[in-house]
mmCIF file of all heavy atoms in Angstrom:
data_model
loop_
_atom_site.group_PDB
_atom_site.id
_atom_site.type_symbol
_atom_site.label_atom_id
_atom_site.label_comp_id
_atom_site.label_asym_id
_atom_site.label_seq_id
_atom_site.Cartn_x
_atom_site.Cartn_y
_atom_site.Cartn_z
ATOM 1 N N PHE A 3 0.835 -1.206 0.006
ATOM 2 C CA PHE A 3 0.002 -0.011 0.000
ATOM 3 C C PHE A 3 0.872 1.255 0.004
ATOM 4 O O PHE A 3 0.638 2.185 -0.774
ATOM 5 C CB PHE A 3 -0.918 -0.037 1.235
ATOM 6 C CG PHE A 3 -1.774 1.202 1.405
ATOM 7 C CD1 PHE A 3 -3.032 1.272 0.822
ATOM 8 C CD2 PHE A 3 -1.341 2.247 2.178
ATOM 9 C CE1 PHE A 3 -3.820 2.394 0.988
ATOM 10 C CE2 PHE A 3 -2.123 3.383 2.363
ATOM 11 C CZ PHE A 3 -3.371 3.439 1.757
ATOM 12 N N THR A 4 1.869 1.285 0.870
ATOM 13 C CA THR A 4 2.708 2.456 0.989
ATOM 14 C C THR A 4 3.582 2.627 -0.245
ATOM 15 O O THR A 4 3.866 3.754 -0.689
ATOM 16 C CB THR A 4 3.592 2.364 2.260
ATOM 17 O OG1 THR A 4 2.752 2.083 3.383
ATOM 18 C CG2 THR A 4 4.357 3.634 2.499
ATOM 19 N N ARG A 5 4.058 1.537 -0.821
ATOM 20 C CA ARG A 5 4.887 1.622 -2.011
ATOM 21 C C ARG A 5 4.123 2.259 -3.159
ATOM 22 O O ARG A 5 4.720 2.994 -3.966
ATOM 23 C CB ARG A 5 5.381 0.219 -2.422
ATOM 24 C CG ARG A 5 6.218 0.235 -3.695
ATOM 25 C CD ARG A 5 6.481 -1.155 -4.232
ATOM 26 N NE ARG A 5 7.292 -1.939 -3.296
ATOM 27 C CZ ARG A 5 6.883 -3.056 -2.698
ATOM 28 N NH1 ARG A 5 5.628 -3.498 -2.924
ATOM 29 N NH2 ARG A 5 7.668 -3.717 -1.877
ATOM 30 N N ARG A 6 2.843 1.997 -3.271
ATOM 31 C CA ARG A 6 2.062 2.455 -4.422
ATOM 32 C C ARG A 6 1.468 3.861 -4.239
ATOM 33 O O ARG A 6 0.741 4.348 -5.117
ATOM 34 C CB ARG A 6 0.951 1.463 -4.735
ATOM 35 C CG ARG A 6 1.481 0.102 -5.173
ATOM 36 C CD ARG A 6 0.352 -0.896 -5.365
ATOM 37 N NE ARG A 6 0.888 -2.189 -5.761
ATOM 38 C CZ ARG A 6 1.150 -2.576 -6.998
ATOM 39 N NH1 ARG A 6 0.955 -1.724 -7.990
ATOM 40 N NH2 ARG A 6 1.616 -3.764 -7.251
ATOM 41 N N LEU A 7 1.727 4.482 -3.096
ATOM 42 C CA LEU A 7 1.267 5.853 -2.929
ATOM 43 C C LEU A 7 1.988 6.769 -3.918
ATOM 44 O O LEU A 7 3.198 6.644 -4.142
ATOM 45 C CB LEU A 7 1.519 6.332 -1.499
ATOM 46 C CG LEU A 7 0.736 5.630 -0.383
ATOM 47 C CD1 LEU A 7 1.104 6.198 0.968
ATOM 48 C CD2 LEU A 7 -0.774 5.753 -0.593
ATOM 49 N N THR A 8 1.258 7.699 -4.469
ATOM 50 C CA THR A 8 1.821 8.622 -5.437
ATOM 51 C C THR A 8 1.716 10.054 -4.922
ATOM 52 O O THR A 8 1.144 10.312 -3.870
ATOM 53 C CB THR A 8 1.094 8.519 -6.791
ATOM 54 O OG1 THR A 8 -0.270 8.918 -6.635
ATOM 55 C CG2 THR A 8 1.145 7.069 -7.299
ATOM 56 N N SER A 9 2.225 10.981 -5.704
ATOM 57 C CA SER A 9 2.208 12.388 -5.280
ATOM 58 C C SER A 9 0.791 12.879 -5.069
ATOM 59 O O SER A 9 0.548 13.747 -4.217
ATOM 60 C CB SER A 9 2.915 13.250 -6.331
ATOM 61 O OG SER A 9 2.300 13.100 -7.604
ATOM 62 N N SER A 10 -0.183 12.340 -5.801
ATOM 63 C CA SER A 10 -1.563 12.782 -5.630
ATOM 64 C C SER A 10 -2.102 12.388 -4.256
ATOM 65 O O SER A 10 -3.042 13.006 -3.763
ATOM 66 C CB SER A 10 -2.459 12.204 -6.729
ATOM 67 O OG SER A 10 -2.480 10.778 -6.645
ATOM 68 N N ASP A 11 -1.523 11.353 -3.663
ATOM 69 C CA ASP A 11 -1.950 10.928 -2.332
ATOM 70 C C ASP A 11 -1.298 11.745 -1.232
ATOM 71 O O ASP A 11 -1.775 11.766 -0.106
ATOM 72 C CB ASP A 11 -1.616 9.446 -2.124
ATOM 73 C CG ASP A 11 -2.301 8.549 -3.111
ATOM 74 O OD1 ASP A 11 -3.535 8.519 -3.091
ATOM 75 O OD2 ASP A 11 -1.622 7.900 -3.902
ATOM 76 N N PHE A 12 -0.227 12.414 -1.541
ATOM 77 C CA PHE A 12 0.509 13.181 -0.526
ATOM 78 C C PHE A 12 0.070 14.636 -0.448
ATOM 79 O O PHE A 12 0.414 15.324 0.504
ATOM 80 C CB PHE A 12 2.025 13.132 -0.796
ATOM 81 C CG PHE A 12 2.596 11.748 -0.765
ATOM 82 C CD1 PHE A 12 3.628 11.403 -1.607
ATOM 83 C CD2 PHE A 12 2.095 10.794 0.105
ATOM 84 C CE1 PHE A 12 4.172 10.129 -1.590
ATOM 85 C CE2 PHE A 12 2.628 9.506 0.146
ATOM 86 C CZ PHE A 12 3.659 9.166 -0.721
ATOM 87 N N VAL A 13 -0.627 15.120 -1.473
ATOM 88 C CA VAL A 13 -0.946 16.554 -1.507
ATOM 89 C C VAL A 13 -2.072 16.925 -0.555
ATOM 90 O O VAL A 13 -2.248 18.085 -0.210
ATOM 91 C CB VAL A 13 -1.321 17.009 -2.927
ATOM 92 C CG1 VAL A 13 -0.154 16.799 -3.862
ATOM 93 C CG2 VAL A 13 -2.560 16.260 -3.438
ATOM 94 N N GLY A 14 -2.881 15.958 -0.138
ATOM 95 C CA GLY A 14 -4.013 16.278 0.728
ATOM 96 C C GLY A 14 -3.616 16.424 2.181
ATOM 97 O O GLY A 14 -2.443 16.313 2.560
ATOM 98 N N PHE A 15 -4.618 16.690 3.008
ATOM 99 C CA PHE A 15 -4.406 16.837 4.433
ATOM 100 C C PHE A 15 -4.297 15.466 5.095
ATOM 101 O O PHE A 15 -5.162 14.621 4.900
ATOM 102 C CB PHE A 15 -5.546 17.646 5.047
ATOM 103 C CG PHE A 15 -5.442 17.786 6.549
ATOM 104 C CD1 PHE A 15 -4.710 18.828 7.100
ATOM 105 C CD2 PHE A 15 -6.056 16.879 7.395
ATOM 106 C CE1 PHE A 15 -4.611 18.969 8.469
ATOM 107 C CE2 PHE A 15 -5.971 17.022 8.774
ATOM 108 C CZ PHE A 15 -5.239 18.058 9.304
ATOM 109 N N TRP A 16 -3.234 15.271 5.835
ATOM 110 C CA TRP A 16 -3.067 14.051 6.627
ATOM 111 C C TRP A 16 -3.044 14.443 8.108
ATOM 112 O O TRP A 16 -2.437 15.438 8.495
ATOM 113 C CB TRP A 16 -1.733 13.350 6.280
ATOM 114 C CG TRP A 16 -1.766 12.603 4.980
ATOM 115 C CD1 TRP A 16 -1.889 13.130 3.739
ATOM 116 C CD2 TRP A 16 -1.664 11.185 4.804
ATOM 117 N NE1 TRP A 16 -1.847 12.152 2.784
ATOM 118 C CE2 TRP A 16 -1.719 10.924 3.406
ATOM 119 C CE3 TRP A 16 -1.517 10.096 5.675
ATOM 120 C CZ2 TRP A 16 -1.640 9.652 2.887
ATOM 121 C CZ3 TRP A 16 -1.425 8.829 5.134
ATOM 122 C CH2 TRP A 16 -1.492 8.604 3.757
ATOM 123 N N TYR A 17 -3.699 13.639 8.920
ATOM 124 C CA TYR A 17 -3.674 13.902 10.370
ATOM 125 C C TYR A 17 -2.249 13.731 10.896
ATOM 126 O O TYR A 17 -1.519 12.837 10.474
ATOM 127 C CB TYR A 17 -4.617 12.934 11.089
ATOM 128 C CG TYR A 17 -6.047 13.042 10.620
ATOM 129 C CD1 TYR A 17 -6.568 12.181 9.642
ATOM 130 C CD2 TYR A 17 -6.883 14.031 11.135
ATOM 131 C CE1 TYR A 17 -7.875 12.294 9.226
ATOM 132 C CE2 TYR A 17 -8.194 14.141 10.710
ATOM 133 C CZ TYR A 17 -8.685 13.281 9.734
ATOM 134 O OH TYR A 17 -9.977 13.390 9.297
ATOM 135 N N SER A 18 -1.874 14.608 11.806
ATOM 136 C CA SER A 18 -0.481 14.601 12.271
ATOM 137 C C SER A 18 -0.098 13.304 12.972
ATOM 138 O O SER A 18 1.057 12.933 12.991
ATOM 139 C CB SER A 18 -0.247 15.804 13.192
ATOM 140 O OG SER A 18 -1.064 15.731 14.346
ATOM 141 N N TRP A 19 -1.084 12.606 13.555
ATOM 142 C CA TRP A 19 -0.745 11.344 14.206
ATOM 143 C C TRP A 19 -0.430 10.223 13.204
ATOM 144 O O TRP A 19 0.031 9.148 13.605
ATOM 145 C CB TRP A 19 -1.857 10.893 15.150
ATOM 146 C CG TRP A 19 -3.260 11.038 14.679
ATOM 147 C CD1 TRP A 19 -4.148 12.017 15.024
ATOM 148 C CD2 TRP A 19 -3.963 10.174 13.761
ATOM 149 N NE1 TRP A 19 -5.356 11.833 14.387
ATOM 150 C CE2 TRP A 19 -5.272 10.710 13.622
ATOM 151 C CE3 TRP A 19 -3.630 9.020 13.068
ATOM 152 C CZ2 TRP A 19 -6.227 10.114 12.801
ATOM 153 C CZ3 TRP A 19 -4.591 8.439 12.244
ATOM 154 C CH2 TRP A 19 -5.866 8.974 12.122
ATOM 155 N N SER A 20 -0.648 10.466 11.917
ATOM 156 C CA SER A 20 -0.237 9.469 10.911
ATOM 157 C C SER A 20 1.277 9.235 10.945
ATOM 158 O O SER A 20 1.757 8.160 10.597
ATOM 159 C CB SER A 20 -0.660 9.929 9.519
ATOM 160 O OG SER A 20 -2.055 10.079 9.429
ATOM 161 N N ARG A 21 2.007 10.256 11.361
ATOM 162 C CA ARG A 21 3.452 10.126 11.465
ATOM 163 C C ARG A 21 3.847 9.025 12.447
ATOM 164 O O ARG A 21 4.749 8.223 12.187
ATOM 165 C CB ARG A 21 4.030 11.477 11.953
ATOM 166 C CG ARG A 21 5.521 11.645 11.810
ATOM 167 C CD ARG A 21 5.904 13.066 12.139
ATOM 168 N NE ARG A 21 5.627 13.396 13.525
ATOM 169 C CZ ARG A 21 6.509 13.286 14.506
ATOM 170 N NH1 ARG A 21 7.747 12.886 14.225
ATOM 171 N NH2 ARG A 21 6.197 13.623 15.742
ATOM 172 N N ILE A 22 3.127 8.942 13.576
ATOM 173 C CA ILE A 22 3.388 7.888 14.557
ATOM 174 C C ILE A 22 2.971 6.533 13.963
ATOM 175 O O ILE A 22 3.581 5.506 14.274
ATOM 176 C CB ILE A 22 2.646 8.156 15.866
ATOM 177 C CG1 ILE A 22 2.872 9.602 16.295
ATOM 178 C CG2 ILE A 22 3.051 7.209 16.949
ATOM 179 C CD1 ILE A 22 2.030 10.017 17.498
ATOM 180 N N SER A 23 1.959 6.526 13.125
ATOM 181 C CA SER A 23 1.472 5.274 12.542
ATOM 182 C C SER A 23 2.552 4.615 11.674
ATOM 183 O O SER A 23 2.690 3.394 11.690
ATOM 184 C CB SER A 23 0.212 5.534 11.724
ATOM 185 O OG SER A 23 -0.823 6.062 12.536
ATOM 186 N N PHE A 24 3.278 5.393 10.902
ATOM 187 C CA PHE A 24 4.334 4.804 10.073
ATOM 188 C C PHE A 24 5.425 4.194 10.951
ATOM 189 O O PHE A 24 5.995 3.149 10.591
ATOM 190 C CB PHE A 24 4.923 5.873 9.141
ATOM 191 C CG PHE A 24 4.030 6.231 7.987
ATOM 192 C CD1 PHE A 24 3.339 7.418 7.945
ATOM 193 C CD2 PHE A 24 3.891 5.356 6.922
ATOM 194 C CE1 PHE A 24 2.523 7.756 6.877
ATOM 195 C CE2 PHE A 24 3.065 5.661 5.851
ATOM 196 C CZ PHE A 24 2.367 6.880 5.834
ATOM 197 N N ALA A 25 5.762 4.833 12.067
ATOM 198 C CA ALA A 25 6.724 4.240 12.994
ATOM 199 C C ALA A 25 6.166 2.968 13.617
ATOM 200 O O ALA A 25 6.912 2.013 13.898
ATOM 201 C CB ALA A 25 7.096 5.258 14.088
ATOM 202 N N THR A 26 4.834 2.921 13.844
ATOM 203 C CA THR A 26 4.211 1.712 14.393
ATOM 204 C C THR A 26 4.349 0.542 13.421
ATOM 205 O O THR A 26 4.544 -0.603 13.848
ATOM 206 C CB THR A 26 2.726 1.995 14.682
ATOM 207 O OG1 THR A 26 2.625 3.091 15.608
ATOM 208 C CG2 THR A 26 2.059 0.787 15.282
ATOM 209 N N VAL A 27 4.249 0.811 12.122
ATOM 210 C CA VAL A 27 4.449 -0.247 11.136
ATOM 211 C C VAL A 27 5.864 -0.795 11.217
ATOM 212 O O VAL A 27 6.087 -2.015 11.166
ATOM 213 C CB VAL A 27 4.121 0.271 9.723
ATOM 214 C CG1 VAL A 27 4.387 -0.813 8.692
ATOM 215 C CG2 VAL A 27 2.694 0.756 9.642
ATOM 216 N N SER A 28 6.855 0.085 11.325
ATOM 217 C CA SER A 28 8.244 -0.382 11.455
ATOM 218 C C SER A 28 8.417 -1.302 12.648
ATOM 219 O O SER A 28 9.066 -2.349 12.555
ATOM 220 C CB SER A 28 9.173 0.847 11.583
ATOM 221 O OG SER A 28 9.122 1.668 10.447
#
């Protein structure tokens, strides 16, 4: 899922706690 994200997926608003979510995946 993360590999296939494109620039169009990054331009929108993301909740700031999503940053912790990526570390949770690691």
